Amino acid sequence: MKKYIININGERKGITIDGETPLLWVIRDELKLTGTKFGCGRGLCGACTIHIDGEETRSCITPIENADGLKITTIEGLSENSSHPLQKAWIAEDVPQCGYCQSGQIMTAAALLSRNPDPDEDDVNSAMRMNICRCGTYNRIRKGIMVAAKEMKNG
């Protein structure tokens, strides 16, 4: 057991825990931020996607010792009131069906738009290819990303 300091959603938190504990369980069980979901536990589906220093990261396979002192953003930290352009586009385009994978989808899309504010369809497909939606809302996900990119570009 060791004490780790993480900056999560703009707040510094000290957590005393085994260093190999996946961030997913620190976020959900210790910090009670339940927007980040458990999907496969192997980093393959994308449901657990968060940002570490702005880069999308699979929290189910990232031990807390690898995030010590780094800036972590979860879906709860993307915006205080669901006003991020992606969150608004998700609602406007009726993207989610069951909704389980959506926080991971949005976090992956947010990372894409931060590094490429004007993606084309190939860019979106490439960025999102490792996020699984069992309901098959891929067309709505792509449309939501393009709508958000346009809104962000237009201010």
Side-chain angles (χ1 to χ4, degrees):
M1 299 290 256
K2 180 180 172 191
K3 184 167 187 169
Y4 296 91
I5 304 296
I6 58 174
N7 177 344
I8 188 157
N9 300 332
E11 294 183 37
R12 284 177 48 92
K13 302 279 186 177
I15 307 286
T16 300
I17 200 162
D18 183 295
E20 294 182 21
T21 304
L23 270 173
L24 173 65
W25 303 119
V26 172
I27 291 165
R28 289 185 59 82
D29 294 346
E30 302 297 322
L31 301 176
K32 307 300 184 207
L33 298 171
T34 58
T36 304
K37 304 297 185 200
F38 173 78
C40 65
R42 299 181 63 205
L44 303 172
C45 74
C48 69
T49 303
I50 60 170
H51 295 172
I52 297 181
D53 286 345
E55 295 292 322
E56 69 263 30
T57 303
R58 306 305 172 126
S59 64
C60 72
I61 58 170
T62 304
I64 189 169
E65 65 190 1
N66 290 6
D68 194 25
L70 301 179
K71 180 182 174 192
I72 298 170
T73 306
T74 67
I75 190 72
E76 293 91 346
L78 197 58
S79 73
E80 290 182 20
N81 57 2
S82 299
S83 63
H84 188 281
L86 281 164
Q87 292 167 315
K88 293 187 329 188
W90 247 239
I91 293 166
E93 299 303 322
D94 198 25
V95 172
Q97 190 164 322
C98 84
Y100 195 81
C101 70
Q102 297 305 313
S103 62
Q105 300 278 0
I106 289 171
M107 294 305 286
T108 300
L112 163 65
L113 294 180
S114 73
R115 67 179 176 269
N116 181 357
D118 192 22
D120 61 25
E121 193 169 320
D122 288 339
D123 296 329
V124 171
N125 289 338
S126 178
M128 302 303 293
R129 74 183 184 287
M130 294 301 291
N131 282 69
I132 297 171
C133 174
R134 291 186 177 151
C135 298
T137 65
Y138 298 111
N139 289 333
R140 294 188 305 221
I141 290 168
R142 274 191 295 277
K143 187 170 183 187
I145 294 168
M146 298 307 281
V147 165
K150 185 176 180 181
E151 180 181 329
M152 293 167 80
K153 186 176 177 181
N154 294 335

